């Protein structure tokens, strides 16, 4: 609380004269509300309103339609600063990130995504005591020094908004503008977002991978066209084409933004969209298709493209997600070692953040649970069909003799092996 003695009340220098108090509403941090209400000076104002919580975030009103983000207790690995918040029958834009905003953020937080609405960043806003926040993504397409509190109030480096080891990622078109406007952080600003810190292995090591992000992503850089006429890495979405109980469920995998003439065909992924990535560079030594050796980063997208409808690729963003083989009327399929696999109904698998999986209505899955993926954007072409392996639910386990030969059933006498364990009859 600001002590009343620190507010000028001298004659001719008074900060508030008697006629002003009834016209002013003040907003304070909720933990200080009692202190303010117990102070006679502040009781002269029309009202004293505390900050409020919505979800895991705390906000304070700064105008009739805007709030400042004071703190968050989100345990997500990627924290997305909300664009707006609803409270008390009103909708507010989140236009400010307050001083020391992330100081007490949980140690699980590693990244922060900032949207277009934010026009002010407070002192030490992104510095957290756990020192786990390393990457910050700014989506605004304009750069201004006025956004920074250290510039607005001529604060020393003791109040820097960012830690010296934090990376700041912006759109490629404005990277130079940010480096000029935010000169103190120029060496930390980049547009190339690494897929992973260790680039010793390809992003896609065995033909397929999955991906999703909280913002639009551009994969076009370091992604040349191959002899087959498609990019070295293509992003696909999937739609159910037909279901037959005899053959399985047919999924049409189409390159995202299929047929786009602006160069985005297969390489531009809208925010919160799950995709299947295919690497099309053949490694003869290993006998697999992969992503190019220098395909190690991606960019924040700069176009406004709508997410595809009826996409069966479910995205996992902000934090990892635990899924079951069957849940809420859907069957789930995962990718492992370049292949998709079905799960037993109650089997649980953790999907890491920024990946995706197939999420198919149970009514659209054949009795066999077999999935056939048809690759090709032209429905008249001869697409590649991939029959996805699956685990049969409640199936009788295979039985082997001591020589490793599979036998039709458990022997009436002797030693046999089931699921790697020896049994004696």
């Amino acid at each position: 609380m600001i002590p009343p003695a620190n507010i000028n009340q001298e004659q001719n220098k008074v900060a508030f004269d008697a006629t002003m108090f009834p016209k002013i509403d003040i907003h304070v941090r909720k933990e200080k509300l009692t202190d303010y209400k117990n102070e006679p000076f502040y009781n002269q104002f029309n009202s004293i309103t505390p900050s409020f919580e919505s979800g895991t975030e705390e906000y304070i009103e700064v105008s009739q339609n805007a709030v400042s983000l004071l703190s968050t207790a989100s345990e997500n690995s990627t924290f997305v600063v909300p664009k707006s918040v609803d409270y008390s029958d009103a909708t507010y834009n989140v236009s400010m990130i307050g001083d020391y905003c992330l100081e007490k953020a949980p140690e699980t937080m590693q990244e922060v995504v900032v949207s277009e609405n934010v026009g002010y960043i407070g002192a030490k806003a992104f510095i957290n005591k756990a020192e786990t926040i390393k990457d910050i993504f700014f989506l605004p397409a304009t750069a201004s020094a006025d956004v920074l509190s250290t510039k607005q109030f001529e604060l020393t480096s003791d109040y820097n908004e960012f830690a010296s080891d934090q990376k700041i990622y912006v759109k490629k078109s404005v990277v130079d503008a940010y480096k000029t406007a935010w000169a103190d952080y120029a060496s930390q600003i980049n547009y190339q977002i690494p897929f992973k810190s260790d680039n010793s292995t390809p992003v896609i090591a065995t033909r397929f991978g999955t991906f999703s992000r909280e913002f639009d992503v551009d994969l076009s850089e370091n992604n040349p066209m191959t002899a087959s006429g498609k990019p070295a890495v293509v992003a696909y979405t999937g739609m159910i084409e037909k279901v037959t109980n005899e053959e399985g469920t047919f999924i049409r995998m189409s390159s995202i933004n299929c047929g786009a003439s602006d160069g985005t065909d297969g390489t531009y992924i809208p925010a919160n969209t799950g995709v299947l990535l295919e690497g099309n560079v053949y490694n003869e030594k290993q006998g697999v298709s992969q992503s190019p050796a220098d395909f190690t980063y991606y960019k924040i997208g700069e176009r406004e493209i709508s997410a595809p409808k009826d996409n069966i690729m479910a995205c996992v963003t902000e934090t990892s997600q635990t899924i079951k083989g069957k849940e809420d009327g859907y069957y789930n399929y995962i990718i492992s070692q370049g292949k998709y696999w079905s799960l037993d109904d109650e089997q649980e698998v953790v999907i890491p953040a920024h990946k995706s999986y197939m999420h198919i209505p149970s009514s659209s899955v054949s009795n066999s649970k077999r999935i056939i993926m048809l690759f090709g954007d032209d429905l008249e072409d001869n697409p590649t069909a991939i029959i996805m392996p699956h685990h049969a639910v409640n199936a009788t386990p295979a039985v082997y003799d001591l020589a490793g030969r599979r036998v039709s059933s458990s022997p009436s006498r002797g030693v046999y092996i089931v699921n790697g364990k020896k049994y004696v009859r």
Side-chain angles (χ1 to χ4, degrees):
M1 185 187 74
I2 300 175
N6 291 355
I7 298 176
N8 202 325
Q9 299 178 49
E10 294 181 37
Q11 187 176 4
N12 298 327
K13 296 181 180 180
V14 63
F16 303 97
D17 64 36
T19 62
M20 296 176 66
F21 290 108
K23 302 177 182 178
I24 297 176
D25 301 304
I26 61 174
H27 298 264
V28 302
R29 292 178 180 265
K30 58 184 178 60
E31 67 269 21
K32 297 296 180 182
L33 179 63
T34 300
D35 293 343
Y36 277 96
K37 284 191 170 183
N38 288 338
E39 176 53 59
F41 175 82
Y42 288 107
N43 281 308
Q44 299 176 85
F45 289 96
N46 182 55
S47 67
I48 305 175
T49 303
S51 58
F52 65 89
E53 292 183 345
S54 178
T56 56
E57 284 69 61
E58 181 184 358
Y59 303 93
I60 191 167
E61 293 180 56
V62 293
S63 76
Q64 291 182 335
N65 59 8
V67 293
S68 174
L69 175 64
L70 292 182
S71 65
T72 178
S74 171
E75 295 185 350
N76 291 344
S77 55
T78 299
F79 173 60
V80 180
V81 176
K83 293 181 180 179
S84 62
V85 59
D86 294 327
Y87 180 74
S88 188
D89 298 324
T91 298
Y92 298 92
N93 291 324
V94 181
S95 62
M96 302 172 66
I97 298 178
D99 300 340
Y100 303 91
C101 177
L102 301 177
E103 180 182 41
K104 298 179 180 179
E107 61 182 12
T108 52
M109 192 177 296
Q110 301 173 13
E111 303 178 333
V112 180
V113 179
V114 181
S115 69
E116 299 280 352
N117 288 350
V118 173
Y120 175 85
I121 301 171
K124 306 186 80 169
F126 291 95
I127 300 177
N128 68 317
K129 288 184 176 180
E131 298 183 346
T132 55
I133 300 174
K134 298 301 181 184
D135 298 323
I136 302 162
F137 306 90
F138 277 88
L139 306 186
T142 56
S144 171
D146 293 338
V147 171
L148 304 177
S149 58
T150 51
K151 299 301 180 184
Q152 281 202 25
F153 301 109
E154 299 182 2
L155 302 177
T156 67
S157 59
D158 291 337
Y159 298 95
N160 277 356
E161 295 83 357
F162 307 96
S164 60
D165 64 344
Q166 290 177 326
K167 302 295 184 183
I168 303 169
Y169 295 102
V170 300
K171 295 176 179 178
K172 183 179 181 179
S173 62
V174 293
V175 66
D176 290 335
Y178 268 92
K179 287 184 176 182
T180 299
W182 297 6
D184 291 342
Y185 306 112
S187 63
Q188 299 171 238
I189 297 173
N190 199 348
Y191 75 90
Q192 299 178 350
I193 307 168
F195 278 99
K196 49 188 177 181
S197 58
D198 179 10
N199 290 322
S200 60
T201 58
V203 172
I204 303 170
T206 310
R207 188 174 180 184
F208 294 122
T210 65
F211 187 77
S212 65
R213 250 317 190 168
E214 301 82 3
F215 46 83
D216 288 10
V217 166
D218 187 344
L219 302 178
S220 61
E221 230 167 75
N222 289 342
N223 191 6
M225 298 296 288
T226 63
S228 63
K230 60 183 179 180
V233 175
V234 180
Y236 290 95
T237 56
M239 292 181 61
I240 297 170
E241 184 161 298
K242 66 177 181 178
V243 181
T244 67
N245 286 334
E246 296 78 16
E247 298 176 85
T249 303
F250 289 77
I251 304 293
R252 170 66 62 178
M253 303 302 296
S254 298
S255 62
I256 198 162
N257 310 316
C258 172
S261 60
D262 59 0
T264 64
D265 186 356
T267 62
Y268 195 94
I269 306 172
N272 301 307
T273 300
V275 295
L276 172 71
L277 297 181
E278 181 185 30
N280 296 302
V281 177
Y282 189 68
N283 184 323
E284 293 186 4
K285 184 177 180 180
Q286 297 184 17
V288 295
S289 293
Q290 300 177 329
S291 54
D294 58 353
F295 183 77
T296 58
Y297 66 88
Y298 56 95
K299 305 180 294 184
I300 297 174
E302 306 203 33
R303 297 178 172 93
E304 291 187 8
I305 297 179
S306 300
K309 296 181 179 179
D310 302 320
N311 178 23
I312 52 87
M313 298 297 299
C315 64
V316 179
T317 55
E318 301 185 37
T319 193
S320 61
Q321 179 180 338
T322 300
I323 63 170
K324 288 185 177 181
K326 186 178 181 181
E327 54 187 354
D328 301 326
Y330 285 83
Y331 282 116
N332 294 322
Y333 297 78
I334 63 170
I335 190 169
S336 176
Q337 299 176 340
K339 296 180 181 179
Y340 266 95
W341 301 80
S342 68
L343 307 171
D344 293 334
D345 287 0
E346 295 301 315
Q347 184 178 358
E348 292 188 344
V349 174
V350 177
I351 307 297
H354 310 139
K355 298 293 184 180
S356 65
Y357 61 96
M358 274 191 173
H359 190 57
I360 305 175
S362 55
S363 59
S364 299
V365 176
S366 68
N367 292 340
S368 66
K369 290 181 65 176
R370 185 172 67 169
I371 301 296
I372 302 173
M373 299 164 65
L374 306 174
F375 285 80
D377 299 324
D378 184 352
L379 297 183
E380 301 301 322
D381 66 6
N382 184 23
T384 302
I386 296 180
I387 299 176
M388 297 163 57
H390 67 281
H391 301 289
V393 180
N394 298 325
T396 302
V399 181
Y400 299 87
D401 63 18
L402 289 179
R405 296 184 295 263
R406 184 166 182 170
V407 295
S408 59
S409 61
S410 302
S412 59
R413 295 181 63 183
V415 181
Y416 60 99
I417 301 172
V418 179
N419 291 334
K421 295 181 179 181
K422 292 181 180 180
Y423 294 85
V424 180
R425 279 189 176 178

